Amino acid sequence: MRWMTVPTTESWAQACTGEMTQHTAQIRLALNEFFLQVQGKALRQAQIATGDTDEAFDIVQHAMMKLTSRYSHQQDVWPPLFQRILQNTIRDWFRRQKMRRLLFWSSPQVAETLFVESEHSSNEPIDIAANTPERKMISRQQLSAIESALRELPPRQQQVFLLRAWWGHNTEETAFAMRCSTGSVKTHYSRALHKLKTLLEPSE
Amino acid sequence: MTTKKKQPGETAIERNICSALDQTLTLNDTTLTRLADIRQQALAELPAQDCNRPRNLWIISASGVAVCAVLAIVLLLPPPHRNIDQRVTELEWLINNEDLTMMEAEFEFYEWAVSEMDSSG
């Protein structure tokens, strides 16, 4: 008498295929829905941070792929996890840039490579927004001034400001996304706001 | 007297910035197409991960068994202080042996001395 049948690889695959396909399809749909909700802001934030549209696409792609490959089973916490991955990726980008700048000063060869790259990429990021009636309410000059002011902020202040003011996250959520204390979030936010006021508000 | 702190988004400058950024959130077709590609590439990671799940369980189980086996071997091996005791015993045995040899040599001497005394007496 056999108490237990040992499943073969094929039978295991057949048994789980139906269930898995349904389960995977549900997750796929939910993830796609989630990505559709966050992709615009994520791309704009990355674009403001890097000043380069291609780099921004790469950052968003990395964040989406990492969330899918590692945390697809944690649907309840997708928003904070995605934010954390996104902010980490942006921070990594800043670190790489810093490293490249250091190499720039130490190695003439790297400096030459960077010069060639900078010739190909324009300073003005490619416009990713559609020309909607709402868009016409704000002039291109105003938008450019706002983006320039945001870019002048130190990376951490820029991230905190966008997470708090634009994404609408509270202090705790922002602290989780940025892997810092709530006290740091408050300090960064206060400093960012002060600097933005100095840069954007006309002096009396 | 307590003063209420302003929340993010309450000041005019915050509202202006957010409003300006919101107006650029309607993306053009090129950007939407590229984002759709990115989403598809990201979602393609999903089935591979689910298929790996049972295999991962086997890997975890096998690793657990291996760790247990190593622990068992380590625990069953004689502890180091036993070796030290053994060495001490061996040393004592050697010393004792040396004493015995000396005693044997002395015994021969006493035997010779007795025989000499007998022959002279």
Side-chain angles (χ1 to χ4, degrees):
Chain A
M1 182 179 168
R2 292 179 71 182
W3 289 95
M4 192 176 73
T5 51
V6 180
T8 59
T9 315
E10 289 78 19
S11 64
W12 161 257
Q14 282 168 358
C16 74
T17 299
E19 191 189 336
M20 206 174 71
T21 310
Q22 198 183 354
H23 179 66
T24 309
Q26 282 173 352
I27 291 181
R28 183 186 282 266
L29 271 174
L31 256 177
N32 191 48
E33 194 64 34
F34 172 71
F35 287 153
L36 281 168
Q37 284 169 16
V38 295
Q39 65 179 16
K41 278 193 176 180
L43 185 66
R44 286 292 286 132
Q45 186 182 355
Q47 195 190 32
I48 290 165
T50 61
D52 187 306
T53 310
D54 286 331
E55 296 276 5
F57 275 115
D58 285 348
I59 286 170
V60 172
Q61 181 172 17
H62 179 267
M64 285 181 177
M65 287 181 101
K66 198 165 180 181
L67 186 82
T68 310
S69 62
R70 293 198 186 175
Y71 307 106
S72 60
H73 56 288
Q74 297 180 29
Q75 191 168 351
D76 296 344
V77 283
W78 281 347
L81 285 173
F82 180 76
Q83 272 307 348
R84 192 162 179 158
I85 298 167
L86 182 70
Q87 303 312 318
N88 266 344
T89 316
I90 290 172
R91 195 166 53 177
D92 285 346
W93 183 87
F94 277 116
R95 280 183 188 146
R96 278 202 307 277
Q97 291 302 110
K98 201 175 176 182
M99 188 57 73
R100 288 177 82 181
R101 257 181 257 129
L102 280 171
L103 286 168
F104 175 83
W105 292 110
S106 60
S107 165
Q109 283 176 333
V110 177
E112 197 178 330
T113 317
L114 285 173
F115 179 72
V116 172
E117 280 180 17
S118 66
E119 272 189 329
H120 291 294
S121 62
S122 59
N123 287 333
E124 278 291 312
I126 300 161
D127 198 356
I128 58 171
N131 286 318
T132 56
E134 298 84 35
R135 174 80 189 273
K136 283 167 188 167
M137 283 169 66
I138 183 166
S139 72
R140 201 175 185 85
Q141 200 178 355
Q142 279 175 305
L143 187 66
S144 177
I146 286 169
E147 287 190 13
S148 297
L150 286 169
R151 277 196 200 107
E152 281 198 38
L153 295 176
R156 303 289 279 171
Q157 287 181 25
Q158 186 193 90
Q159 283 179 294
V160 166
F161 180 82
L162 290 174
L163 281 168
R164 293 279 281 125
W166 194 38
W167 284 89
H169 292 305
N170 63 30
T171 314
E172 286 75 23
E173 288 165 346
T174 308
F176 176 79
M178 296 196 52
R179 301 169 87 171
C180 66
S181 66
T182 51
S184 296
V185 170
K186 286 173 189 169
T187 309
H188 285 314
Y189 191 80
S190 167
R191 287 177 185 167
L193 199 58
H194 179 75
K195 187 156 187 181
L196 287 171
K197 274 181 184 169
T198 315
L199 291 166
L200 292 169
E201 282 183 349
S203 55
E204 288 166 15
Chain B
M1 194 181 121
T2 55
T3 52
K4 186 180 170 284
K5 274 193 171 181
K6 283 188 175 178
Q7 293 297 311
E10 282 188 6
T11 61
I13 192 159
E14 288 163 305
R15 281 198 301 272
N16 287 343
I17 292 172
C18 293
S19 161
L21 293 176
D22 282 341
Q23 283 174 34
T24 62
L25 277 180
T26 312
L27 305 170
N28 61 33
D29 289 344
T30 317
T31 306
L32 287 172
T33 310
R34 202 165 163 184
L35 281 170
D37 288 344
I38 286 172
R39 281 201 316 278
Q40 289 310 308
Q41 282 175 33
L43 293 172
E45 298 280 309
L46 196 56
Q49 189 210 17
D50 275 359
C51 289
N52 281 341
R53 211 171 274 175
R55 195 172 61 188
N56 288 345
L57 281 174
W58 281 109
I59 291 165
I60 290 163
S61 312
S63 308
V65 169
V67 168
C68 287
V70 169
L71 275 173
I73 290 165
V74 168
L75 291 171
L76 288 173
L77 272 175
H81 70 268
R82 219 184 219 183
N83 287 339
I84 292 164
D85 284 351
Q86 207 171 352
R87 282 179 192 173
V88 169
T89 316
E90 281 170 6
L91 197 67
E92 279 173 356
W93 182 80
L94 279 171
I95 291 163
N96 288 342
N97 269 3
E98 204 173 338
D99 286 344
L100 278 171
T101 319
M102 282 171 74
M103 279 173 75
E104 272 173 18
E106 281 172 5
F107 183 71
E108 279 173 13
F109 167 76
Y110 288 122
E111 216 174 29
W112 172 78
V114 168
S115 65
E116 281 294 308
M117 280 168 74
D118 285 346
S119 61
S120 62

